[in-house]
Amino acid sequence: MEENKNTEIKFLKAQINPHFVFNTLNNIYSMVYFQSDKSLIAIDKLSQIMRFTTYESQKEKIKLSDEVDYIKAYIELEQLRHQDNVRVDFNVELKNEFEEIPPYILSPLVENALKHGEVSDSEPIEIQLKVSSEKLIFKVKNKIGTQKKDSLGGIGLDNLQKRLQIHYPEKHQIKITKEENHFTAELEIDLK
């Protein structure tokens, strides 16, 4: 049974982020080609992301602060790729930054908002993370893009829900809502 659980977790982790690297490398190639002064920063952010993907994602649990750092690097890289046209308000309240969670429990919701949302100065992506000793609440809200389907869709949401069920059976709730032209994903995890 334990072997099946570990196999499932490794399989689910492997599905996360499959073509992100290729798109990012193409954008960095373009930055280098046009001699952008942001090329080196983009390479550094991609390096941070790849380090997390290579090392931290292999662990069953990581410090919550490591997942937050990964999300921040991911956001910064997206901002570089889109010439800073991506505005994200990321508010974090951690009572215990050493709280441990499985890797990639929060980031798929952020990746979804960046991929499918429409962002402007008046309509930033709003991300809130509040962690007490008993509960983790993670909320991501974005304006729905006009030309893109705004849902985690297929593998993303199924993957996240399966991983939550494995790690937090009957101790989590994920709520996805569409109101007018906004998409909100809210995740609650009971940490007790």
Side-chain angles (χ1 to χ4, degrees):
M1 185 71 164
E2 187 67 26
E3 186 177 332
N4 287 344
K5 179 180 171 184
N6 290 335
T7 302
E8 170 98 3
I9 291 169
K10 286 179 184 175
F11 172 73
L12 293 171
K13 284 181 187 175
Q15 291 182 9
I16 301 168
N17 252 336
H19 59 277
F20 169 77
V21 174
F22 298 114
N23 291 338
T24 302
L25 285 173
N26 282 333
N27 283 321
I28 290 174
Y29 175 86
S30 191
M31 286 179 186
V32 170
Y33 182 80
F34 291 107
Q35 300 178 355
S36 169
D37 59 343
K38 296 180 180 180
S39 302
L40 292 177
I41 298 168
I43 291 168
D44 180 56
K45 295 300 170 192
L46 180 59
S47 174
Q48 289 177 29
I49 289 169
M50 294 306 299
R51 191 175 303 113
F52 181 90
T53 303
T54 303
Y55 299 111
E56 300 304 313
S57 70
Q58 304 306 313
K59 299 175 183 175
E60 186 166 331
K61 291 205 171 186
I62 61 170
K63 289 187 300 188
L64 179 58
S65 59
D66 290 339
E67 178 99 355
V68 169
D69 289 344
Y70 167 78
I71 290 169
K72 287 178 179 176
Y74 187 91
I75 291 168
E76 290 170 21
L77 185 57
E78 285 295 295
Q79 289 170 327
L80 288 169
R81 287 178 54 204
H82 299 285
Q83 289 86 37
D84 295 320
N85 291 331
V86 176
R87 180 156 168 236
V88 178
D89 292 340
F90 190 4
N91 298 306
V92 179
E93 291 179 37
L94 298 179
K95 287 221 173 172
N96 177 8
E97 67 182 65
F98 299 104
E99 180 70 48
E100 291 192 336
I101 61 169
Y104 295 122
I105 287 293
L106 305 178
S107 55
L109 299 175
V110 175
E111 292 169 9
N112 181 66
L114 287 165
K115 183 176 180 182
H116 298 294
E118 185 175 298
V119 185
S120 66
D121 283 339
S122 62
E123 294 278 356
I125 293 172
E126 298 173 19
I127 304 171
Q128 297 174 343
L129 174 61
K130 292 182 182 180
V131 183
S132 68
S133 58
E134 298 178 358
K135 191 173 289 260
L136 178 151
I137 300 172
F138 188 61
K139 184 176 180 181
V140 180
K141 180 179 179 183
N142 62 276
K143 183 176 180 185
I144 297 173
T146 55
Q147 298 172 336
K148 300 175 183 174
K149 184 177 99 174
D150 196 84
S151 71
L152 273 172
I155 292 173
L157 183 56
D158 289 346
N159 186 335
L160 180 58
Q161 288 178 331
K162 286 176 185 174
R163 295 187 66 236
L164 286 166
Q165 191 57 41
I166 289 168
H167 292 286
Y168 300 103
E170 299 181 33
K171 289 187 161 198
H172 73 279
Q173 178 182 16
I174 187 164
K175 183 170 73 172
I176 302 201
T177 55
K178 290 182 186 179
E179 294 176 338
E180 296 177 17
N181 60 347
H182 289 88
F183 180 85
T184 305
E186 188 167 357
L187 171 62
E188 281 191 30
I189 298 175
D190 184 356
L191 299 172
K192 294 183 282 184

